[in-house]
């Protein structure tokens, strides 16, 4: 979703802003822009589409202070006029905004009556004009007055023509300030800046950062919206890890698929014996998330319920938060999010706060969710491809570790078996990755269709849902997923000769039933691709044979399906790492 970067220092801001924006590209965007202050005042350049379009028109921009933005359209179509930065009417202010101003219509009419004209269709432009409206020479006063009028969520980068400082303010949307020896930066996430600095101030909601360069050194003052100065500690980010570039891989997604054995091993090492105090004395669980994280939640429900007998509910965060869920004080709300910034997941967590225990499975250190629920980290390393792979499987691993812990507490003998299997999981995943050649060979069959159906039972259903999502998000093939027993209740009417059905069948106890469901679709002419650790080749047109595992085979099936989605998308010539319309981190509702 939208990305913010800002710079103040003694160098030309433009290439530094481009570099930061490039590092934010993975979040998903459809237009971009920068604003710098030069001798003539504020200069803004914006363009539709990819960053290379902006670089073409803005490379000669200069100035030592600047802000930049990648926009993922919400209010107004993705074109240059709606791209950020937005300039205030007098030309005194430029702003970049992440989030949504919910009362923008009311503010727009307030400003229109007072002579302000709008050039964009965005909610954000009101902020630039409000700054103008309240400005009488004191930028901070103008920012305080403006923020008091805004309803909604915002991370803002602000520059003023008359002022040699860089300003940032945050409410709900993430924003950090990075400091190096002689320069300072702002960004919507640390990853934009980790090649420049590892020292950050992580702003909390209602905080304003005023950044200047004094005697060649960066100086930051953080205050609240009442103008009171706040003392903040800096956070030292991990050194840049394995994900700085694609290496020899053609896409980040493939690289991240292959990083799974190491990511799983790292996460297991960190979590196997870590204290998980949020698990003590709980009677039931609600696991929530969005997108793939919801699929992890669903798999968690099947696995934890089946193995421990605990009452577990899995929910889509955006639904959970508004359906007035029944929560008991002995419940645990477990939120799952790779980024830790997904607005609906945070919202759902806040609904449960003060009613029951809250914990979260998160990959990004110090992300917003970790400040409102006890974090149980995954150690996937940073994930760049929009379609999650190692982020998802490390979430599953943590859910299996939670299962293990619950079994251990009860002295259940299966704990030992599960622990052994988790320890061997990195090897099993590495084995599953050896299937790539075979999967690549069958990918043209799927690539030539516009629809595919996925079926599975139990935890395989959760795995099939994730597999269908993976295929549709990167290959744009419509992929529908059903519990294997449910397909016949309506959707089977769509199955005809040649329809592609991917069947995941890794649960011995449910195998015969799933095989029957495969036979049902085969009888109607479907072309069936099986993903299984059993020999079901007699009912499949193609079988992807994943390694045997008693508990974790749905994870191995997911890995095989990731490779299938990747090769199908490749065969269709899609932009695999940056699929259209999608954002990696969805910070609005
Ligand atoms: C977006 C991404 C998905 C992701 C979902 C939740 O929709 O495209 O891949 O699963 O957000 O993200 P989170 O960071 O909360 O796991």
């Amino acid at each position: 979703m939208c990305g913010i970067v800002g710079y103040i220092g003694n160098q030309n801001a433009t290439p530094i802003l481009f570099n930061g924006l490039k590092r934010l590209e993975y979040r998903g965007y459809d237009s971009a822009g920068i604003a710098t202050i030069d001798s003539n005042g504020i200069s803004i350049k914006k363009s539709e589409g990819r960053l290379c379009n902006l670089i073409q028109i803005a490379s000669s921009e200069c100035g030592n202070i600047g802000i930049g933005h990648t926009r993922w359209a919400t209010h107004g179509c993705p074109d240059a006029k709606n791209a950020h930065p937005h300039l205030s009417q007098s030309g005194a202010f430029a702003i970049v905004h992440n989030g949504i101003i919910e009362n923008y219509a009311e503010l727009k009419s307030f400003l229109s009556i007072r002579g302000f004209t709008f050039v964009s269709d965005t909610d954000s432009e009101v902020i630039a004009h409000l700054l103008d409206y309240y400005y009488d020479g004191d930028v901070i006063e103008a920012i305080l007055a403006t923020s008091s009028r805004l309803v909604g969520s915002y991370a803002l980068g602000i520059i003023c023509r008359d002022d040699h400082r860089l300003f940032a303010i945050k409410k709900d949307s993430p924003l950090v300030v990075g400091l190096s020896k002689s320069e300072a930066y702002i960004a919507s996430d640390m990853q934009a800046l980790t090649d420049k600095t590892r020292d950050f101030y992580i702003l909390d909601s209602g905080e304003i950062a005023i950044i200047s360069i004094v005697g060649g050194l960066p100086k930051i003052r953080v205050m609240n919206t009442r103008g009171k100065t706040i003392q903040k500690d800096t956070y030292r980010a991990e050194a840049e890890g394995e994900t700085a570039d694609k290496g020899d891989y053609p896409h980040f997604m493939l690289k991240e698929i292959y990083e799974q054995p190491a990511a799983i091993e790292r996460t297991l090492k960190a979590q196997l014996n870590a204290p998980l105090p949020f698990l003590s004395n709980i009677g039931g669980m609600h696991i929530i998330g969005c997108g793939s994280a919801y699929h992890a939640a669903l798999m968690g429900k099947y696995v934890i319920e089946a193995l421990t007998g605990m009452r577990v509910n899995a929910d889509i965060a955006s639904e959970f938060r508004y359906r007035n869920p029944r929560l008991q004080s002995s419940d645990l709300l477990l939120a799952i999010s790779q980024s830790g910034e997904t607005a609906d997941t945070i919202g759902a967590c806040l609904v449960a706060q003060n009613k029951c225990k809250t914990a979260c499975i998160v990959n990004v250190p110090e992300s917003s969710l970790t400040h409102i629920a006890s974090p149980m980290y995954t150690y996937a390393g940073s994930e760049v491809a929009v379609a999650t792979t190692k982020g998802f499987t490390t979430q599953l691993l943590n859910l299996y570790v939670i299962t293990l812990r619950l079994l251990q507490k009860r002295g259940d003998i299966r704990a030992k078996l599960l622990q052994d299997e988790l320890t061997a999981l990195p090897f099993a995943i590495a084995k599953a990755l050896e299937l790539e050649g075979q999967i690549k060979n069958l990918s043209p069959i799927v690539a030539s269709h516009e629809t595919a159906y996925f079926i599975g039972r139990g935890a395989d259903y959760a795995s099939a849902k994730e597999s269908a999502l993976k295929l549709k998000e990167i290959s744009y093939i419509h992929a529908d997923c059903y519990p294997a027993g449910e397909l016949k209740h309506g959707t089977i009417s769509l199955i005809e000769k040649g329809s592609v059905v991917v069947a995941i069948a890794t649960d011995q106890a449910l195998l015969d039933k799933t095989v029957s469901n495969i036979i049902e679709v085969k009888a109607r002419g479907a072309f069936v691709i099986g993903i299984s650790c059993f020999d079901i080749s007699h009912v499949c047109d193609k079988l992807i044979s994943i390694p045997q595992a008693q508990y974790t085979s749905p994870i191995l099936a997911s890995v095989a399906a990731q490779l299938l989605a990747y090769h199908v998308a490749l065969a269709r010539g899609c932009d695999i790492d940056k699929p259209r319309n999608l954002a990696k981190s969805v910070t609005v509702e």
Side-chain angles (χ1 to χ4, degrees):
M1 201 145 261
C2 305
I4 287 178
V5 62
Y7 172 79
I8 181 166
N10 51 15
Q11 298 186 58
N12 181 7
T14 303
I16 296 167
L17 295 175
F18 288 160
N19 182 63
L21 292 178
K22 245 193 159 350
R23 296 171 67 89
L24 290 174
E25 273 193 299
Y26 78 98
R27 292 168 69 102
Y29 70 105
D30 36 46
S31 59
I34 60 165
T36 49
I37 306 178
D38 62 23
S39 50
N40 299 317
I42 293 177
S43 171
I44 294 190
K45 287 281 185 315
K46 329 197 254 192
S47 71
E48 194 180 326
R50 294 282 181 235
L51 208 51
C52 53
N53 302 347
L54 176 71
I55 294 172
Q56 252 177 21
I57 60 163
S59 288
S60 55
E61 296 294 287
C62 54
N64 304 130
I65 305 178
I67 48 179
H69 193 258
T70 45
R71 173 175 185 255
W72 187 84
T74 58
H75 296 56
C77 62
D79 61 13
K81 86 174 164 351
N82 289 330
H84 298 212
H86 292 289
L87 193 64
S88 67
Q89 184 143 306
S90 72
F93 291 95
I95 64 108
V96 285
H97 168 221
N98 283 4
I100 290 180
I101 303 304
E102 289 166 7
N103 61 338
Y104 81 100
E106 178 199 311
L107 293 171
K108 205 164 174 173
S109 60
F110 170 87
L111 289 160
S112 301
I113 293 165
R114 287 158 181 82
F116 287 86
T117 51
F118 288 79
V119 293
S120 79
D121 309 314
T122 64
D123 55 327
S124 312
E125 194 182 354
V126 295
I127 304 166
H129 296 324
L130 270 181
L131 286 165
D132 249 4
Y133 177 74
Y134 286 114
Y135 183 52
D136 62 4
D138 187 331
V139 180
I140 296 175
E141 286 302 321
I143 292 175
L144 291 175
T146 298
S147 71
S148 74
R149 299 291 306 271
L150 303 176
V151 175
S153 58
Y154 48 86
L156 292 172
I158 303 169
I159 55 174
C160 176
R161 181 188 56 199
D162 315 331
D163 203 296
H164 285 287
R165 291 177 291 179
L166 172 64
F167 303 89
I169 174 165
K170 162 190 163 125
K171 178 172 173 276
D172 297 338
S173 293
L175 198 58
V176 299
V177 178
L179 297 183
S180 68
K181 268 202 186 111
S182 54
E183 297 158 315
Y185 316 82
I186 60 168
S188 47
D189 75 50
M190 287 186 248
Q191 198 162 316
L193 304 176
T194 40
D195 62 333
K196 301 275 179 240
T197 180
R198 288 169 58 198
D199 296 316
F200 292 95
Y201 288 95
I202 298 167
L203 296 185
D204 289 318
S205 272
E207 289 183 348
I208 303 169
I210 300 135
I211 310 153
S212 51
I213 301 292
V214 181
L217 301 175
K219 198 167 158 267
I220 170 170
R221 179 178 159 215
V222 180
M223 58 189 226
N224 65 19
T225 45
R226 289 185 306 282
K228 189 171 173 291
T229 298
I230 294 167
Q231 298 306 327
K232 275 188 92 73
D233 293 330
T234 51
Y235 168 76
R236 191 155 177 80
E238 294 277 304
E240 280 227 2
E242 59 203 358
T243 46
D245 62 52
K246 292 196 282 251
D248 292 336
Y249 290 93
H251 296 97
F252 276 107
M253 184 180 175
L254 192 62
K255 175 173 180 261
E256 289 161 4
I257 287 174
Y258 274 90
E259 282 169 356
Q260 290 179 107
I264 293 278
E265 196 168 358
R266 250 191 332 262
T267 306
L268 186 64
K269 200 166 160 221
Q271 297 300 1
L272 195 57
N273 299 309
L276 300 177
F278 55 82
L279 286 181
S280 51
N281 304 321
I282 53 164
M285 255 189 239
H286 299 267
I287 317 181
I288 54 125
C290 299
S292 300
Y294 164 66
H295 297 151
L298 191 60
M299 187 151 346
K301 171 190 162 66
Y302 279 112
V303 172
I304 297 168
E305 239 174 30
L307 289 176
T308 73
M310 182 176 277
R311 172 175 50 81
V312 185
N313 162 50
D315 241 308
I316 293 172
S318 57
E319 288 295 308
F320 181 85
R321 66 184 294 194
Y322 293 118
R323 75 168 167 79
N324 201 11
R326 275 189 54 212
L327 296 168
Q328 297 173 15
S329 56
S330 61
D331 284 350
L332 170 70
L333 183 288
L334 180 61
I336 304 185
S337 174
Q338 187 282 130
S339 64
E341 301 295 353
T342 301
D344 278 316
T345 309
I346 292 171
C349 217
L350 291 174
V351 163
Q353 238 183 8
N354 305 324
K355 295 195 180 121
C356 66
K357 281 189 197 172
T358 55
C360 56
I361 293 179
V362 167
N363 191 44
V364 177
E366 293 298 313
S367 51
S368 302
L369 206 51
T370 66
H371 294 274
I372 53 178
S374 311
M376 178 191 189
Y377 281 110
T378 53
Y379 294 86
S382 51
E383 200 177 50
V384 176
V386 166
T388 178
T389 52
K390 59 177 182 168
F392 173 71
T393 48
T394 50
Q395 288 165 354
L396 297 182
L397 179 80
N398 275 6
L399 290 161
Y400 276 90
V401 169
I402 287 173
T403 311
L404 173 67
R405 213 51 80 72
L406 294 171
L407 290 175
Q408 284 167 336
K409 269 193 193 164
R410 292 167 193 193
D412 192 310
I413 48 163
R414 290 170 302 173
K416 172 81 178 72
L417 297 173
L418 178 56
Q419 181 167 339
D420 289 348
E421 198 171 306
L422 292 180
T423 311
L425 188 59
F427 305 102
I429 292 181
K431 269 251 150 297
L433 292 171
E434 288 173 12
L435 296 165
E436 187 186 357
Q438 182 201 340
I439 292 171
K440 184 179 176 187
N441 288 343
L442 67 83
S443 62
I445 302 167
V446 183
S448 63
H449 285 72
E450 289 310 315
T451 304
Y453 301 89
F454 285 71
I455 56 172
R457 284 174 180 261
D460 286 339
Y461 167 54
S463 175
K465 270 185 90 65
E466 171 60 9
S467 305
L469 179 65
K470 210 86 300 171
L471 183 71
K472 75 185 132 193
E473 59 188 348
I474 61 168
S475 76
Y476 313 142
I477 290 174
H478 175 239
D480 222 0
C481 178
Y482 291 90
E486 180 65 11
L487 193 76
K488 66 171 89 56
H489 297 289
T491 307
I492 202 165
S493 67
L494 297 174
I495 302 292
E496 54 188 7
K497 192 166 172 15
S499 299
V500 167
V501 176
V502 179
I504 301 183
T506 72
D507 186 341
Q508 173 90 69
L510 298 169
L511 188 65
D512 291 345
K513 308 223 173 281
T514 307
V515 164
S516 300
N517 300 133
I518 294 175
I519 292 169
E520 286 159 11
V521 292
K522 275 221 61 75
R524 284 148 186 95
F527 182 93
V528 176
I529 298 172
I531 301 180
S532 183
C533 45
F534 304 107
D535 183 7
I536 52 168
S537 51
H538 57 294
V539 290
C540 298
D541 295 281
K542 297 276 176 196
L543 178 65
I544 301 170
S545 291
I546 57 169
Q548 279 280 353
Q550 179 160 8
Y551 302 109
T552 55
S553 48
I555 302 184
L556 302 174
S558 300
V559 170
Q562 292 165 356
L563 288 168
L564 181 65
Y566 174 82
H567 281 289
V568 171
L570 194 64
R572 287 167 69 97
C574 298
D575 188 352
I576 292 179
D577 285 338
K578 294 185 217 103
R580 70 182 178 214
N581 302 339
L582 293 184
K584 178 96 186 138
S585 175
V586 180
T587 48
V588 297
E589 286 195 46

